[in-house]
Amino acid sequence: MPPNNSVGIPEGDPVPMGNAFPAKLIFKGATIASTAVGTRKDAIEVLDFAARGIVNTVIRTEKLDRLTDVFQEMKEGKLSGRVVMDMQ
């Protein structure tokens, strides 16, 4: 999977990933994140909103040396959206 992409897990019973190689994921530094909010239909509707420009996301990237500044923005209530910390 290319960097900075996400994968959703469909509703229903868990299905084992028979061809997954956990060691390879760990070596590449891949992370798996999830949320238990909403249904598959909800996700499809939100993606449709985004495709039509109804939803705007506010995301910015900051270098790790600005971490203290980012926390200060959060503390002061000045942070809008999400901040992705660049670890490189």
Side-chain angles (χ1 to χ4, degrees), residues 12 14 17 19-20 24 26 34-35 43 46 50 54 56 68 77 79:
M17 296 170 53
N19 62 349
K24 192 173 185 180
I26 293 167
S34 67
T35 179
V46 168
I54 295 172
N56 259 342
T68 303
L79 186 81

Side-chain angles (χ1 to χ4, degrees), residues 69-86:
D69 299 327
V70 171
F71 276 114
Q72 187 63 36
E73 284 182 58
M74 285 192 295
K75 182 178 178 182
E76 295 172 1
K78 295 179 180 178
L79 186 81
S80 293
R82 305 283 179 165
V83 176
V84 177
M85 301 309 297
D86 184 348

Side-chain angles (χ1 to χ4, degrees), residues 10-76:
E11 294 174 338
D13 293 331
V15 178
M17 296 170 53
N19 62 349
F21 300 96
K24 192 173 185 180
L25 295 173
I26 293 167
F27 178 75
K28 288 185 165 190
T31 58
I32 298 174
S34 67
T35 179
V37 177
T39 65
R40 182 180 176 139
K41 182 179 177 223
D42 294 333
I44 290 168
E45 288 174 356
V46 168
L47 290 172
D48 180 57
F49 290 158
R52 293 186 299 159
I54 295 172
V55 175
N56 259 342
T57 56
V58 179
I59 301 170
R60 74 176 202 252
T61 304
E62 295 287 355
K63 293 287 186 185
L64 191 56
D65 63 357
R66 292 217 54 245
L67 182 62
T68 303
D69 299 327
V70 171
F71 276 114
Q72 187 63 36
E73 284 182 58
M74 285 192 295
K75 182 178 178 182
E76 295 172 1

